[in-house]
Amino acid sequence: MSAFDRIKKYLREGEKPEAIVFGAWKSYCDDPELIPEDVVGKVIKIKSLDDVKEYLSGWDIVAEYGAAEVYSLYLWTDKRVIFIVIYDGATWLESVPRRPEDIEPKVFGGY
C-alpha cells in the first residue's frame, strides 16, 4: 500500500486536507528521490490529497520494527494535524487536534 492510500484511509469521513510539508527521507537505505529537494520543507497548499499524489506514491508509511523507510511529513486538515511516528524502526500515522479541544492527550512512540 502506498503512503497516498494509507493517508487517504486514515482521513475521517468529510475531513479535508489543506496543506502538507515533507521532510527528509528517514531510512538506512538510499533516498528514492521521490520528493524533489526544492519541495522539502516547503508548505504546499492543497485542496485534495490528489494534488500531491505523485509525492505520496512509491513508498509506504507503515513498516515493521527495524525497517523505517519514510519521508517525514505534516499534513494539515480542517480537523487535525497528521504526522508519522517512528519507534524502534516501526512507523505509523498519528494526529493531534488542529485546534484546542477537550481531549485526553496521549504519548506517541513508546506507550
Side-chain angles (χ1 to χ4, degrees):
M1 184 177 286
S2 69
F4 176 83
D5 294 327
R6 294 244 188 235
I7 293 171
K8 198 161 190 149
K9 185 176 178 181
Y10 191 76
L11 292 172
R12 296 175 184 148
E13 187 173 333
E15 190 171 17
K16 296 176 180 64
E18 295 180 348
I20 193 168
V21 64
F22 292 97
W25 179 248
K26 307 296 183 201
S27 175
Y28 295 110
C29 300
D30 291 337
D31 182 347
E33 299 180 4
L34 300 170
I35 300 175
E37 282 186 38
D38 63 333
V39 171
V40 173
K42 304 281 194 302
V43 174
I44 303 169
K45 302 277 185 182
I46 58 176
K47 294 184 182 195
S48 161
L49 209 53
D50 290 322
D51 295 344
V52 289
K53 185 174 184 176
E54 65 182 296
Y55 301 141
L56 294 168
S57 300
W59 61 284
D60 195 358
I61 289 170
V62 176
E64 298 300 321
Y65 290 95
E69 294 183 356
V70 297
Y71 287 98
S72 53
L73 64 80
Y74 296 142
L75 172 64
W76 288 269
T77 74
D78 58 332
K79 306 278 186 222
R80 55 194 173 143
V81 180
I82 298 168
F83 52 92
I84 298 171
V85 173
I86 299 177
Y87 175 74
D88 199 20
T91 55
W92 63 92
L93 290 168
E94 288 286 356
S95 66
V96 293
R98 182 171 173 147
R99 293 168 193 81
E101 64 180 64
D102 292 331
I103 186 173
E104 184 176 343
K106 63 192 237 184
V107 176
F108 299 103
Y111 270 76

